[in-house]
Amino acid sequence: MLIKCSIRKVLAITGIISLTVIAFLLVAVLTAFNPWTRAREKAQTELLNSVQLDLKALSPRILQYYGTYGKWPKSVRELEVELPEGVSVTDRFSTDHQPYRIAARGDCAILYSVGPDDIDDNARIVFDPSKDLWVFDSSGNLTNRGDIVVELHY
């Protein structure tokens, strides 16, 4: 009797574990092939690429400003130059539409975006683009924090 009862418990536990594994695999497969997931990943990549293109286009203009005035601009809005079509001085990750930031540090300047967490870390925490942009922990905080930075040397 004891052996039959133990076998039933083992079978019941094995069945629960099997169902859990199947459910986990089903969620993983559905997520991987979900068109919404792919669309979100594409939108994230496009947004990150746009920010990186903006920073790349603004960088030589900031260096030119330094060469002309002997100091770093306090804001990208001080740059009185035409920008290529599609390039913005407004940080695409800033929810309050602030411009990209410039942090002067001696003989170099750091041009940066607040990044997907929309927190200005003064370019001290660098965003890792290899991680997903908008993944939240159990507390609702972004797991991938930091600013997107370009270091400029004259």
Side-chain angles (χ1 to χ4, degrees):
M1 181 74 171
L2 182 61
I3 293 176
K4 284 184 180 180
C5 190
S6 295
I7 291 173
R8 284 185 188 156
K9 286 181 182 178
V10 169
L11 290 175
I13 291 171
T14 305
I16 291 171
I17 292 171
S18 296
L19 286 176
T20 304
V21 169
I22 290 169
F24 176 77
L25 291 173
L26 183 61
V27 168
V29 167
L30 290 176
T31 301
F33 295 105
N34 183 340
W36 295 108
T37 301
R38 285 186 296 210
R40 187 191 84 224
E41 288 171 355
K42 182 180 177 187
Q44 291 174 356
T45 301
E46 288 175 0
L47 180 58
L48 183 59
N49 288 343
S50 294
V51 168
Q52 290 172 329
L53 287 172
D54 289 347
L55 297 177
K56 186 177 180 179
L58 290 168
S59 295
R61 288 153 177 87
I62 293 171
L63 290 169
Q64 181 181 9
Y65 183 98
Y66 185 84
T68 303
Y69 299 104
K71 63 179 183 173
W72 299 109
K74 292 183 176 153
S75 167
V76 292
R77 298 222 191 268
E78 289 182 41
L79 304 174
E80 297 175 0
V81 294
E82 279 190 45
L83 296 172
E85 186 176 329
V87 173
S88 175
V89 296
T90 302
D91 189 340
R92 297 174 194 265
F93 283 117
S94 174
T95 55
D96 58 354
H97 310 289
Q98 293 296 310
Y100 291 110
R101 277 98 166 147
I102 300 172
R105 299 204 177 124
D107 64 341
C108 77
I110 299 176
L111 172 64
Y112 67 99
S113 161
V114 293
D117 63 357
D118 194 24
I119 297 172
D120 186 352
D121 298 305
N122 294 311
R124 297 196 192 288
I125 301 173
V126 179
F127 172 77
D128 182 356
S130 69
K131 295 181 181 174
D132 196 7
L133 293 183
W134 292 291
V135 175
F136 298 89
D137 63 18
S138 59
S139 302
N141 299 315
L142 279 170
T143 58
N144 193 6
R145 291 201 48 223
D147 299 332
I148 301 167
V149 303
V150 175
E151 195 169 316
L152 305 170
H153 297 273
Y154 189 79

